[in-house]
């Protein structure tokens, strides 16, 4: 079993930088920064990640990037993704806030072996787990799953569009109560790495506490193994962290999104 240090090293070397631009309409690199533009719900949204910032003029990088998104792109918003373990990020929080970026809720980055999560989960009668994007009625099911995410998160993209753009890298899994989608999550394989990400886990309020998130996680872990993927990564909420830790994933760092939204 890999140690926390080994898992963090794999995360830093395989999942940061160009790997985060997958599916973008466009992207570029400026010094240690990776900047990308995506389309979500017919709006353009920007994204920024970075390598080690030590030795760089952080306030200048933030000022230039904020001005670029504001003046030279049509994005409605952009997110700057920070990590809690970065040693060279002194002054980053202050610089981001100074240019109108607002921090969101911190999440825990969990990494671990897919085999640890690929377990059998017993569900109540009438509940089932299935993959949606390869079903005969995929269009209707993905639309329903997109609605579940919007109801839980207050926003969410078009899952059918995401699957199409991913060109085989994205699977959508759901838990159903009878024929009704009540919980949904994605498996996204990261090209040229040993990783897949678990994203978009959303369960309707009346169905929480019934093992659906754990069952969806297990199904996606089995799907990852079937693709030859060994490691899984999740940015998780405090609600999900205990479930993932009990399954064997390891907390390697934290991540906090800072978001700028275009006025008016």
């Amino acid at each position: 079993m890999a140690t926390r240090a080994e898992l963090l090293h794999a995360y830093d070397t395989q999942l940061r930088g160009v790997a985060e631009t997958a599916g973008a309409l466009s992207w570029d690199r400026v010094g240690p920064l990776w900047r990308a533009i995506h389309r979500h719900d017919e709006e353009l949204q920007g994204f920024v990640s970075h390598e080690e910032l030590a030795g760089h003029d952080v306030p200048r990088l933030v000022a230039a990037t904020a001005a670029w998104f504001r003046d030279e792109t049509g994005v409605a918003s952009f997110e700057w993704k920070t990590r809690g373990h970065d040693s060279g990020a002194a002054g980053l929080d202050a610089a981001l806030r100074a240019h109108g970026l607002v921090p969101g809720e911190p999440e825990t980055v969990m990494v671990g072996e897919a085999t640890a999560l690929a377990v059998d989960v017993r569900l109540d009668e009438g509940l089932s787990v299935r993959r949606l994007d390869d079903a005969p009625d995929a269009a209707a099911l993905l639309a329903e799953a997109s609605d579940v995410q919007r109801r839980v998160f207050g926003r969410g993209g078009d899952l059918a569009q995401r699957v199409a753009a991913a060109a085989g890298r994205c699977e959508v899994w759901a838990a159903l109560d009878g024929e009704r989608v009540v919980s949904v999550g994605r498996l996204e394989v990261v090209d040229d790495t040993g990783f897949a990400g678990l994203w978009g886990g959303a369960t309707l309020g009346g169905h929480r506490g019934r093992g659906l998130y754990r069952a969806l996680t297990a199904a996606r872990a089995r799907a990852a193994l079937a693709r030859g993927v060994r490691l899984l990564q999740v940015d998780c909420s405090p609600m999900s962290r205990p479930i993932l830790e009990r399954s064997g994933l390891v907390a390697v760092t934290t991540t906090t999104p800072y978001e700028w939204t275009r006025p008016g």
Side-chain angles (χ1 to χ4, degrees):
M1 187 70 68
T3 66
R4 177 185 178 278
E6 289 170 336
L7 294 172
L8 179 59
H9 178 74
Y11 171 79
D12 274 338
T13 56
Q14 296 186 50
L15 292 185
R16 299 180 67 171
V18 70
E20 297 176 279
T21 67
L25 296 175
S26 63
W27 63 272
D28 67 355
R29 187 176 182 185
V30 179
L33 304 184
W34 298 82
R35 309 185 304 192
I37 297 176
H38 297 264
R39 185 181 301 278
H40 292 295
D41 283 348
E42 304 308 316
E43 285 188 342
L44 296 179
Q45 296 181 355
F47 177 81
V48 182
S49 185
H50 57 83
E51 299 174 355
E52 179 58 62
L53 293 176
H56 294 275
D57 186 337
V58 171
R60 183 188 63 79
L61 285 172
V62 173
T65 298
W68 182 75
F69 276 115
R70 182 188 67 238
D71 301 334
E72 299 184 41
T73 77
V75 299
S77 63
F78 77 89
E79 173 191 327
W80 188 301
K81 189 177 181 76
T82 69
R83 275 81 170 193
H85 70 287
D86 285 342
S87 61
L92 181 58
D93 172 78
L96 292 170
R97 290 175 185 266
H99 289 277
L101 283 90
V102 179
E105 291 297 321
E107 294 182 312
T108 302
V109 178
M110 310 287 293
V111 178
E113 303 278 351
T115 52
L117 280 79
V119 297
D120 292 328
V121 179
R122 184 182 297 275
L123 294 174
D124 296 339
E125 185 175 354
L127 299 176
S128 62
V129 171
R130 62 181 293 199
R131 182 177 169 184
L132 304 186
D133 57 285
D134 65 349
D137 51 348
L141 288 169
L142 290 173
E144 187 177 355
S146 298
D147 183 61
V148 168
Q149 289 193 328
R150 280 189 287 269
R151 291 167 65 184
V152 173
F153 298 134
R155 63 179 184 178
D158 183 327
L159 285 172
Q161 185 180 81
R162 181 180 289 273
V163 168
R169 296 187 305 273
C170 176
E171 299 181 11
V172 179
W173 288 78
L176 288 82
D177 186 348
E179 298 299 319
R180 177 186 172 214
V181 175
V182 295
S183 183
V184 61
R186 305 189 312 275
L187 174 73
E188 297 194 356
V189 178
V190 185
D191 285 344
D192 302 318
T193 74
F195 276 93
L198 303 180
W199 300 104
T203 303
L204 294 177
H207 287 78
R208 293 173 188 162
R210 304 179 70 185
L212 299 182
Y213 179 79
R214 187 162 179 257
L216 275 180
T217 300
R220 288 178 288 169
R222 288 191 292 271
L225 289 170
R227 287 173 171 258
V229 174
R230 184 175 70 90
L231 294 173
L232 295 175
Q233 181 258 321
V234 190
D235 291 355
C236 74
S237 68
M239 183 182 301
S240 303
R241 177 173 175 172
I243 301 171
L244 297 169
E245 284 184 320
R246 287 195 296 270
S247 298
L249 265 65
V250 178
V252 297
T253 188
T254 59
T255 179
T256 302
Y258 285 70
E259 187 165 321
W260 173 87
T261 302
R262 189 177 296 278

